[in-house]
mmCIF file of all heavy atoms in Angstrom:
data_model
loop_
_atom_site.group_PDB
_atom_site.id
_atom_site.type_symbol
_atom_site.label_atom_id
_atom_site.label_comp_id
_atom_site.label_asym_id
_atom_site.label_seq_id
_atom_site.Cartn_x
_atom_site.Cartn_y
_atom_site.Cartn_z
ATOM 1 N N GLN O 1 293.499 -67.706 7.442
ATOM 2 C CA GLN O 1 292.591 -67.720 8.579
ATOM 3 C C GLN O 1 291.161 -67.992 8.145
ATOM 4 O O GLN O 1 290.354 -68.510 8.923
ATOM 5 C CB GLN O 1 292.654 -66.382 9.328
ATOM 6 C CG GLN O 1 293.957 -66.146 10.069
ATOM 7 C CD GLN O 1 294.023 -64.749 10.652
ATOM 8 O OE1 GLN O 1 293.062 -63.994 10.596
ATOM 9 N NE2 GLN O 1 295.171 -64.390 11.196
ATOM 10 N N ARG O 2 290.848 -67.656 6.906
ATOM 11 C CA ARG O 2 289.506 -67.897 6.378
ATOM 12 C C ARG O 2 289.463 -69.145 5.502
ATOM 13 O O ARG O 2 288.592 -69.299 4.664
ATOM 14 C CB ARG O 2 289.039 -66.677 5.589
ATOM 15 C CG ARG O 2 288.739 -65.484 6.501
ATOM 16 C CD ARG O 2 288.608 -64.195 5.711
ATOM 17 N NE ARG O 2 288.190 -63.095 6.550
ATOM 18 C CZ ARG O 2 289.007 -62.372 7.310
ATOM 19 N NH1 ARG O 2 290.305 -62.668 7.348
ATOM 20 N NH2 ARG O 2 288.556 -61.378 8.040
ATOM 21 N N ASN O 3 290.449 -70.022 5.686
ATOM 22 C CA ASN O 3 290.498 -71.310 4.990
ATOM 23 C C ASN O 3 290.618 -71.167 3.476
ATOM 24 O O ASN O 3 290.043 -71.943 2.715
ATOM 25 C CB ASN O 3 289.273 -72.163 5.331
ATOM 26 C CG ASN O 3 289.502 -73.004 6.568
ATOM 27 O OD1 ASN O 3 290.571 -72.957 7.168
ATOM 28 N ND2 ASN O 3 288.513 -73.773 6.961
ATOM 29 N N VAL O 4 291.364 -70.164 3.037
ATOM 30 C CA VAL O 4 291.650 -69.994 1.617
ATOM 31 C C VAL O 4 293.155 -70.048 1.416
ATOM 32 O O VAL O 4 293.901 -69.330 2.089
ATOM 33 C CB VAL O 4 291.107 -68.649 1.073
ATOM 34 C CG1 VAL O 4 291.474 -68.475 -0.396
ATOM 35 C CG2 VAL O 4 289.594 -68.589 1.243
ATOM 36 N N LEU O 5 293.599 -70.901 0.509
ATOM 37 C CA LEU O 5 295.021 -71.011 0.194
ATOM 38 C C LEU O 5 295.307 -70.265 -1.093
ATOM 39 O O LEU O 5 294.768 -70.600 -2.147
ATOM 40 C CB LEU O 5 295.425 -72.478 0.039
ATOM 41 C CG LEU O 5 296.838 -72.714 -0.486
ATOM 42 C CD1 LEU O 5 297.868 -72.197 0.507
ATOM 43 C CD2 LEU O 5 297.068 -74.181 -0.780
ATOM 44 N N ALA O 6 296.134 -69.220 -0.996
ATOM 45 C CA ALA O 6 296.552 -68.482 -2.187
ATOM 46 C C ALA O 6 297.874 -69.053 -2.670
ATOM 47 O O ALA O 6 298.821 -69.194 -1.898
ATOM 48 C CB ALA O 6 296.701 -66.997 -1.863
ATOM 49 N N MET O 7 297.933 -69.412 -3.948
ATOM 50 C CA MET O 7 299.146 -70.009 -4.483
ATOM 51 C C MET O 7 300.281 -69.000 -4.629
ATOM 52 O O MET O 7 301.436 -69.374 -4.778
ATOM 53 C CB MET O 7 298.846 -70.650 -5.849
ATOM 54 C CG MET O 7 297.775 -71.722 -5.792
ATOM 55 S SD MET O 7 298.187 -73.022 -4.617
ATOM 56 C CE MET O 7 296.760 -74.079 -4.786
ATOM 57 N N SER O 8 299.955 -67.697 -4.601
ATOM 58 C CA SER O 8 300.991 -66.670 -4.705
ATOM 59 C C SER O 8 300.455 -65.365 -4.139
ATOM 60 O O SER O 8 299.244 -65.147 -4.089
ATOM 61 C CB SER O 8 301.406 -66.457 -6.173
ATOM 62 O OG SER O 8 300.342 -65.877 -6.911
ATOM 63 N N GLY O 9 301.387 -64.504 -3.722
ATOM 64 C CA GLY O 9 300.988 -63.182 -3.266
ATOM 65 C C GLY O 9 300.383 -62.363 -4.386
ATOM 66 O O GLY O 9 299.553 -61.480 -4.154
ATOM 67 N N ARG O 10 300.781 -62.667 -5.625
ATOM 68 C CA ARG O 10 300.244 -61.962 -6.787
ATOM 69 C C ARG O 10 298.718 -62.139 -6.853
ATOM 70 O O ARG O 10 297.986 -61.209 -7.205
ATOM 71 C CB ARG O 10 300.892 -62.496 -8.065
ATOM 72 C CG ARG O 10 300.434 -61.800 -9.338
ATOM 73 C CD ARG O 10 300.927 -62.580 -10.544
ATOM 74 N NE ARG O 10 302.378 -62.611 -10.600
ATOM 75 C CZ ARG O 10 303.117 -61.768 -11.319
ATOM 76 N NH1 ARG O 10 302.523 -60.828 -12.013
ATOM 77 N NH2 ARG O 10 304.424 -61.870 -11.340
ATOM 78 N N ALA O 11 298.245 -63.348 -6.503
ATOM 79 C CA ALA O 11 296.810 -63.610 -6.558
ATOM 80 C C ALA O 11 296.058 -62.761 -5.541
ATOM 81 O O ALA O 11 294.977 -62.238 -5.824
ATOM 82 C CB ALA O 11 296.540 -65.089 -6.311
ATOM 83 N N VAL O 12 296.621 -62.614 -4.337
ATOM 84 C CA VAL O 12 295.974 -61.804 -3.304
ATOM 85 C C VAL O 12 295.894 -60.353 -3.757
ATOM 86 O O VAL O 12 294.872 -59.688 -3.604
ATOM 87 C CB VAL O 12 296.738 -61.897 -1.970
ATOM 88 C CG1 VAL O 12 295.981 -61.170 -0.869
ATOM 89 C CG2 VAL O 12 296.960 -63.347 -1.587
ATOM 90 N N GLU O 13 296.991 -59.879 -4.319
ATOM 91 C CA GLU O 13 297.044 -58.496 -4.776
ATOM 92 C C GLU O 13 296.086 -58.267 -5.932
ATOM 93 O O GLU O 13 295.396 -57.248 -6.002
ATOM 94 C CB GLU O 13 298.477 -58.163 -5.209
ATOM 95 C CG GLU O 13 298.802 -56.693 -5.130
ATOM 96 C CD GLU O 13 300.298 -56.483 -5.280
ATOM 97 O OE1 GLU O 13 300.795 -56.627 -6.410
ATOM 98 O OE2 GLU O 13 300.958 -56.194 -4.276
ATOM 99 N N ALA O 14 296.037 -59.232 -6.858
ATOM 100 C CA ALA O 14 295.130 -59.118 -7.997
ATOM 101 C C ALA O 14 293.683 -59.070 -7.523
ATOM 102 O O ALA O 14 292.851 -58.369 -8.105
ATOM 103 C CB ALA O 14 295.340 -60.280 -8.962
ATOM 104 N N ALA O 15 293.380 -59.804 -6.452
ATOM 105 C CA ALA O 15 292.014 -59.793 -5.914
ATOM 106 C C ALA O 15 291.612 -58.385 -5.487
ATOM 107 O O ALA O 15 290.444 -58.005 -5.602
ATOM 108 C CB ALA O 15 291.902 -60.758 -4.740
ATOM 109 N N GLY O 16 292.565 -57.629 -4.997
ATOM 110 C CA GLY O 16 292.268 -56.267 -4.583
ATOM 111 C C GLY O 16 292.051 -55.316 -5.731
ATOM 112 O O GLY O 16 291.486 -54.239 -5.543
ATOM 113 N N ASP O 17 292.493 -55.697 -6.933
ATOM 114 C CA ASP O 17 292.347 -54.835 -8.111
ATOM 115 C C ASP O 17 291.261 -55.308 -9.061
ATOM 116 O O ASP O 17 291.110 -54.770 -10.156
ATOM 117 C CB ASP O 17 293.677 -54.774 -8.879
ATOM 118 C CG ASP O 17 294.705 -53.907 -8.172
ATOM 119 O OD1 ASP O 17 294.295 -52.927 -7.514
ATOM 120 O OD2 ASP O 17 295.910 -54.206 -8.264
ATOM 121 N N VAL O 18 290.494 -56.326 -8.665
ATOM 122 C CA VAL O 18 289.492 -56.921 -9.546
ATOM 123 C C VAL O 18 288.425 -55.900 -9.928
ATOM 124 O O VAL O 18 287.968 -55.113 -9.096
ATOM 125 C CB VAL O 18 288.852 -58.153 -8.861
ATOM 126 C CG1 VAL O 18 287.515 -58.491 -9.472
ATOM 127 C CG2 VAL O 18 289.794 -59.339 -8.959
ATOM 128 N N ASN O 19 288.038 -55.920 -11.203
ATOM 129 C CA ASN O 19 286.974 -55.052 -11.704
ATOM 130 C C ASN O 19 285.676 -55.802 -11.967
ATOM 131 O O ASN O 19 284.601 -55.218 -11.951
ATOM 132 C CB ASN O 19 287.401 -54.369 -13.011
ATOM 133 C CG ASN O 19 288.737 -53.683 -12.908
ATOM 134 O OD1 ASN O 19 289.721 -54.154 -13.472
ATOM 135 N ND2 ASN O 19 288.778 -52.573 -12.194
ATOM 136 N N VAL O 20 285.808 -57.107 -12.271
ATOM 137 C CA VAL O 20 284.637 -57.906 -12.663
ATOM 138 C C VAL O 20 284.631 -59.211 -11.874
ATOM 139 O O VAL O 20 285.667 -59.879 -11.766
ATOM 140 C CB VAL O 20 284.645 -58.222 -14.176
ATOM 141 C CG1 VAL O 20 283.427 -59.053 -14.553
ATOM 142 C CG2 VAL O 20 284.680 -56.940 -14.989
ATOM 143 N N LEU O 21 283.468 -59.570 -11.316
ATOM 144 C CA LEU O 21 283.300 -60.846 -10.622
ATOM 145 C C LEU O 21 282.324 -61.714 -11.407
ATOM 146 O O LEU O 21 281.202 -61.288 -11.690
ATOM 147 C CB LEU O 21 282.737 -60.635 -9.217
ATOM 148 C CG LEU O 21 283.658 -60.138 -8.114
ATOM 149 C CD1 LEU O 21 282.902 -60.113 -6.794
ATOM 150 C CD2 LEU O 21 284.869 -60.996 -7.988
ATOM 151 N N LEU O 22 282.761 -62.923 -11.771
ATOM 152 C CA LEU O 22 281.865 -63.897 -12.378
ATOM 153 C C LEU O 22 281.416 -64.857 -11.284
ATOM 154 O O LEU O 22 282.244 -65.507 -10.643
ATOM 155 C CB LEU O 22 282.571 -64.682 -13.494
ATOM 156 C CG LEU O 22 283.097 -63.890 -14.690
ATOM 157 C CD1 LEU O 22 283.567 -64.853 -15.773
ATOM 158 C CD2 LEU O 22 282.041 -62.963 -15.246
ATOM 159 N N LEU O 23 280.119 -64.954 -11.069
ATOM 160 C CA LEU O 23 279.578 -65.772 -9.988
ATOM 161 C C LEU O 23 278.555 -66.755 -10.544
ATOM 162 O O LEU O 23 277.601 -66.352 -11.221
ATOM 163 C CB LEU O 23 278.908 -64.888 -8.936
ATOM 164 C CG LEU O 23 279.820 -63.874 -8.234
ATOM 165 C CD1 LEU O 23 278.990 -62.756 -7.628
ATOM 166 C CD2 LEU O 23 280.625 -64.553 -7.161
ATOM 167 N N ASP O 24 278.759 -68.049 -10.270
ATOM 168 C CA ASP O 24 277.747 -69.026 -10.642
ATOM 169 C C ASP O 24 276.475 -68.755 -9.851
ATOM 170 O O ASP O 24 276.525 -68.395 -8.672
ATOM 171 C CB ASP O 24 278.235 -70.438 -10.340
ATOM 172 C CG ASP O 24 279.067 -71.003 -11.483
ATOM 173 O OD1 ASP O 24 278.832 -70.597 -12.626
ATOM 174 O OD2 ASP O 24 279.948 -71.832 -11.216
ATOM 175 N N LYS O 25 275.354 -68.956 -10.502
ATOM 176 C CA LYS O 25 274.078 -68.743 -9.812
ATOM 177 C C LYS O 25 273.851 -69.801 -8.741
ATOM 178 O O LYS O 25 273.667 -69.502 -7.572
ATOM 179 C CB LYS O 25 272.929 -68.769 -10.819
ATOM 180 C CG LYS O 25 271.559 -68.479 -10.195
ATOM 181 C CD LYS O 25 270.433 -69.049 -11.017
ATOM 182 C CE LYS O 25 270.389 -70.564 -10.895
ATOM 183 N NZ LYS O 25 269.246 -71.185 -11.564
ATOM 184 N N THR O 26 273.876 -71.062 -9.156
ATOM 185 C CA THR O 26 273.506 -72.153 -8.263
ATOM 186 C C THR O 26 274.560 -72.369 -7.182
ATOM 187 O O THR O 26 275.721 -72.607 -7.487
ATOM 188 C CB THR O 26 273.308 -73.452 -9.055
ATOM 189 O OG1 THR O 26 272.364 -73.215 -10.088
ATOM 190 C CG2 THR O 26 272.820 -74.567 -8.152
ATOM 191 N N GLY O 27 274.151 -72.269 -5.936
ATOM 192 C CA GLY O 27 275.049 -72.497 -4.820
ATOM 193 C C GLY O 27 275.844 -71.274 -4.421
ATOM 194 O O GLY O 27 276.464 -71.264 -3.360
ATOM 195 N N THR O 28 275.840 -70.250 -5.251
ATOM 196 C CA THR O 28 276.574 -69.029 -4.934
ATOM 197 C C THR O 28 275.602 -67.902 -4.630
ATOM 198 O O THR O 28 275.562 -67.367 -3.527
ATOM 199 C CB THR O 28 277.501 -68.633 -6.094
ATOM 200 O OG1 THR O 28 278.373 -69.705 -6.385
ATOM 201 C CG2 THR O 28 278.309 -67.399 -5.740
ATOM 202 N N ILE O 29 274.805 -67.547 -5.631
ATOM 203 C CA ILE O 29 273.806 -66.501 -5.446
ATOM 204 C C ILE O 29 272.523 -67.084 -4.863
ATOM 205 O O ILE O 29 271.871 -66.467 -4.024
ATOM 206 C CB ILE O 29 273.530 -65.792 -6.790
ATOM 207 C CG1 ILE O 29 274.805 -65.063 -7.251
ATOM 208 C CG2 ILE O 29 272.371 -64.814 -6.667
ATOM 209 C CD1 ILE O 29 274.694 -64.445 -8.623
ATOM 210 N N THR O 30 272.184 -68.286 -5.298
ATOM 211 C CA THR O 30 270.991 -68.961 -4.786
ATOM 212 C C THR O 30 271.400 -70.185 -3.973
ATOM 213 O O THR O 30 272.546 -70.619 -4.023
ATOM 214 C CB THR O 30 270.073 -69.402 -5.932
ATOM 215 O OG1 THR O 30 270.732 -70.424 -6.697
ATOM 216 C CG2 THR O 30 269.736 -68.226 -6.837
ATOM 217 N N PHE O 31 270.452 -70.746 -3.244
ATOM 218 C CA PHE O 31 270.738 -71.925 -2.435
ATOM 219 C C PHE O 31 270.962 -73.164 -3.276
ATOM 220 O O PHE O 31 271.533 -74.137 -2.819
ATOM 221 C CB PHE O 31 269.595 -72.179 -1.442
ATOM 222 C CG PHE O 31 269.598 -71.242 -0.285
ATOM 223 C CD1 PHE O 31 268.692 -70.197 -0.223
ATOM 224 C CD2 PHE O 31 270.512 -71.379 0.740
ATOM 225 C CE1 PHE O 31 268.695 -69.320 0.847
ATOM 226 C CE2 PHE O 31 270.515 -70.509 1.817
ATOM 227 C CZ PHE O 31 269.607 -69.476 1.871
ATOM 228 N N GLY O 32 270.502 -73.143 -4.511
ATOM 229 C CA GLY O 32 270.751 -74.273 -5.406
ATOM 230 C C GLY O 32 269.559 -75.184 -5.554
ATOM 231 O O GLY O 32 269.266 -75.655 -6.641
ATOM 232 N N ASN O 33 268.830 -75.454 -4.494
ATOM 233 C CA ASN O 33 267.635 -76.286 -4.566
ATOM 234 C C ASN O 33 266.407 -75.383 -4.617
ATOM 235 O O ASN O 33 266.184 -74.572 -3.711
ATOM 236 C CB ASN O 33 267.537 -77.209 -3.349
ATOM 237 C CG ASN O 33 268.676 -78.200 -3.314
ATOM 238 O OD1 ASN O 33 269.102 -78.706 -4.332
ATOM 239 N ND2 ASN O 33 269.181 -78.472 -2.113
ATOM 240 N N ARG O 34 265.615 -75.543 -5.665
ATOM 241 C CA ARG O 34 264.400 -74.733 -5.770
ATOM 242 C C ARG O 34 263.422 -75.134 -4.669
ATOM 243 O O ARG O 34 263.294 -76.308 -4.346
ATOM 244 C CB ARG O 34 263.771 -74.902 -7.151
ATOM 245 C CG ARG O 34 264.648 -74.335 -8.257
ATOM 246 C CD ARG O 34 264.087 -74.602 -9.635
ATOM 247 N NE ARG O 34 264.982 -74.050 -10.642
ATOM 248 C CZ ARG O 34 264.710 -72.973 -11.377
ATOM 249 N NH1 ARG O 34 263.556 -72.359 -11.223
ATOM 250 N NH2 ARG O 34 265.578 -72.525 -12.256
ATOM 251 N N GLN O 35 262.724 -74.147 -4.131
ATOM 252 C CA GLN O 35 261.830 -74.381 -3.005
ATOM 253 C C GLN O 35 260.434 -73.883 -3.328
ATOM 254 O O GLN O 35 260.260 -72.875 -4.023
ATOM 255 C CB GLN O 35 262.356 -73.674 -1.753
ATOM 256 C CG GLN O 35 263.740 -74.133 -1.331
ATOM 257 C CD GLN O 35 264.265 -73.351 -0.149
ATOM 258 O OE1 GLN O 35 263.505 -72.705 0.570
ATOM 259 N NE2 GLN O 35 265.569 -73.403 0.070
ATOM 260 N N ALA O 36 259.441 -74.589 -2.819
ATOM 261 C CA ALA O 36 258.051 -74.183 -3.017
ATOM 262 C C ALA O 36 257.780 -72.910 -2.221
ATOM 263 O O ALA O 36 258.041 -72.854 -1.027
ATOM 264 C CB ALA O 36 257.114 -75.297 -2.575
ATOM 265 N N VAL O 37 257.268 -71.895 -2.900
ATOM 266 C CA VAL O 37 257.020 -70.616 -2.238
ATOM 267 C C VAL O 37 255.559 -70.184 -2.306
ATOM 268 O O VAL O 37 255.139 -69.285 -1.575
ATOM 269 C CB VAL O 37 257.905 -69.504 -2.844
ATOM 270 C CG1 VAL O 37 259.371 -69.792 -2.600
ATOM 271 C CG2 VAL O 37 257.641 -69.338 -4.334
ATOM 272 N N GLU O 38 254.765 -70.841 -3.184
ATOM 273 C CA GLU O 38 253.387 -70.377 -3.369
ATOM 274 C C GLU O 38 252.543 -71.487 -3.993
ATOM 275 O O GLU O 38 253.023 -72.257 -4.828
ATOM 276 C CB GLU O 38 253.387 -69.138 -4.278
ATOM 277 C CG GLU O 38 252.056 -68.450 -4.406
ATOM 278 C CD GLU O 38 252.140 -67.212 -5.292
ATOM 279 O OE1 GLU O 38 253.155 -67.070 -6.017
ATOM 280 O OE2 GLU O 38 251.189 -66.398 -5.270
ATOM 281 N N LEU O 39 251.260 -71.551 -3.576
ATOM 282 C CA LEU O 39 250.294 -72.467 -4.183
ATOM 283 C C LEU O 39 249.226 -71.641 -4.891
ATOM 284 O O LEU O 39 248.639 -70.721 -4.290
ATOM 285 C CB LEU O 39 249.649 -73.358 -3.116
ATOM 286 C CG LEU O 39 250.580 -74.298 -2.339
ATOM 287 C CD1 LEU O 39 249.786 -75.128 -1.345
ATOM 288 C CD2 LEU O 39 251.352 -75.200 -3.287
ATOM 289 N N LEU O 40 248.950 -71.976 -6.156
ATOM 290 C CA LEU O 40 248.021 -71.206 -6.974
ATOM 291 C C LEU O 40 246.882 -72.117 -7.440
ATOM 292 O O LEU O 40 247.031 -72.878 -8.396
ATOM 293 C CB LEU O 40 248.754 -70.617 -8.190
ATOM 294 C CG LEU O 40 250.003 -69.771 -7.872
ATOM 295 C CD1 LEU O 40 250.778 -69.463 -9.141
ATOM 296 C CD2 LEU O 40 249.597 -68.485 -7.171
ATOM 297 N N PRO O 41 245.718 -72.072 -6.772
ATOM 298 C CA PRO O 41 244.607 -72.952 -7.151
ATOM 299 C C PRO O 41 243.904 -72.479 -8.427
ATOM 300 O O PRO O 41 243.995 -71.304 -8.799
ATOM 301 C CB PRO O 41 243.668 -72.860 -5.943
ATOM 302 C CG PRO O 41 243.963 -71.527 -5.326
ATOM 303 C CD PRO O 41 245.421 -71.258 -5.581
ATOM 304 N N VAL O 42 243.196 -73.383 -9.093
ATOM 305 C CA VAL O 42 242.419 -73.051 -10.295
ATOM 306 C C VAL O 42 241.026 -73.661 -10.166
ATOM 307 O O VAL O 42 240.795 -74.588 -9.370
ATOM 308 C CB VAL O 42 243.091 -73.584 -11.575
ATOM 309 C CG1 VAL O 42 244.428 -72.919 -11.804
ATOM 310 C CG2 VAL O 42 243.243 -75.096 -11.515
ATOM 311 N N GLY O 43 240.112 -73.130 -10.967
ATOM 312 C CA GLY O 43 238.776 -73.726 -11.074
ATOM 313 C C GLY O 43 238.005 -73.751 -9.781
ATOM 314 O O GLY O 43 237.237 -74.695 -9.539
ATOM 315 N N GLY O 44 238.175 -72.740 -8.924
ATOM 316 C CA GLY O 44 237.400 -72.681 -7.699
ATOM 317 C C GLY O 44 237.896 -73.582 -6.587
ATOM 318 O O GLY O 44 237.245 -73.700 -5.535
#
């Protein structure tokens, strides 16, 4: 229903017992494209 195909019931069950998640930063934790957030002038 959430558009995920599990190749076996074992995989679904293993997901429930997971202790460690490895997550890529780009596109997973962050949006992936760096964005301008601040302008810092110099010399007056």
Side-chain angles (χ1 to χ4, degrees):
Q1 290 173 6
R2 289 166 174 83
N3 272 0
V4 178
L5 172 65
M7 301 304 180
S8 68
R10 182 191 297 264
V12 186
E13 205 168 74
D17 286 328
V18 159
N19 309 108
V20 180
L21 283 184
L22 299 189
L23 299 159
D24 274 332
K25 183 204 72 175
T26 305
T28 304
I29 295 174
T30 67
F31 284 104
N33 296 322
R34 294 175 181 251
Q35 300 176 18
V37 296
E38 188 179 15
L39 298 181
L40 305 170
V42 296

